[in-house]
C-alpha cells in the first residue's frame, strides 16, 4: 500500500556545501533565523539537515551568503533506523533495489538498509 512504511522515514531537506566550515554555515543559518535538524562534516563537505518546509528559505540564505553551488540540495526521506544486511541477504536486497529502480514508473527508492557505503 502506498505510504505504508512512511512512518519509518523522516522527510528532510539536505544541503551539502564545500569550502565552508561548520561555524560559517551555522552563522549563515542563524543570521537568516533558520533552524536546522543536524549538521556534520563528511570529509570536507558540510551536510546540513533542515525542515523540508525551509528548503527554499535555506537555499536562498546560502545564495545570499555567496554560496551558489551545492554538493547536495534535495528533499529526501531519511530512515529512522537502519538494518545491516550481509551475505545472501545483501545480494538479494541489491538485486531487488536494482529491479525496482529499473521500473519506468519508479522515481526514487528509499530503504533503511545499511549498505556500508
Amino acid at each position: 500500500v502506498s505510504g505504508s512504511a512512511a512512518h519509518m522515514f523522516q522527510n528532510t531537506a539536505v544541503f551539502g556545501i564545500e569550502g565552508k566550515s561548520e561555524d560559517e554555515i551555522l552563522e549563515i543559518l542563524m543570521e537568516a533565523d533558520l533552524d536546522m535538524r543536524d549538521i556534520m562534516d563528511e570529509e570536507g563537505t558540510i551536510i546540513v539537515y533542515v525542515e523540508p518546509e525551509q528548503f527554499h528559505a535555506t537555499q536562498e540564505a546560502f545564495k545570499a551568503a555567496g554560496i551558489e553551488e551545492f554538493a547536495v540540495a534535495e528533499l529526501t526521506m531519511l530512515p529512522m533506523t537502519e538494518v545491516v544486511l550481509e551475505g545472501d541477504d545483501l545480494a538479494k536486497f541489491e538485486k531487488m533495489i536494482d529491479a525496482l529502480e529499473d521500473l519506468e514508473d519508479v522515481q526514487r527508492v528509499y530503504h533503511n538498509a545499511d549498505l556500508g557505503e
Side-chain angles (χ1 to χ4, degrees):
V1 177
S2 177
S4 63
H7 68 280
M8 295 171 40
F9 296 87
Q10 186 175 35
N11 193 11
T12 303
V14 181
F15 291 91
I17 300 154
E18 297 174 339
K20 297 282 185 185
S21 70
E22 282 186 49
D23 291 338
E24 290 172 309
I25 297 300
L26 285 171
E27 186 176 326
I28 292 167
L29 293 173
M30 286 190 313
E31 285 178 4
D33 198 28
L34 294 168
D35 295 325
M36 66 174 171
R37 289 184 181 167
D38 198 7
I39 186 170
M40 61 185 64
D41 187 343
E42 290 188 5
E43 300 175 10
T45 301
I46 305 300
I47 305 296
V48 180
Y49 299 96
V50 298
E51 296 294 328
E53 299 82 26
Q54 292 185 338
F55 179 86
H56 181 70
T58 303
Q59 189 174 36
E60 290 302 313
F62 287 142
K63 287 182 178 180
I67 300 170
E68 294 291 330
E69 292 189 29
F70 302 95
V72 177
E74 67 182 8
L75 293 170
T76 191
M77 299 289 283
L78 295 178
M80 303 288 258
T81 61
E82 290 189 336
V83 177
V84 177
L85 299 176
E86 298 174 345
D88 288 342
D89 291 337
L90 179 58
K92 289 177 187 177
F93 179 78
E94 287 176 338
K95 186 175 178 181
M96 179 188 70
I97 293 297
D98 288 342
L100 287 171
E101 289 176 341
D102 287 342
L103 294 173
E104 193 173 299
D105 293 336
V106 174
Q107 295 177 6
R108 184 114 181 184
V109 177
Y110 299 101
H111 60 80
N112 67 336
D114 181 358
L115 303 177
E117 297 175 348

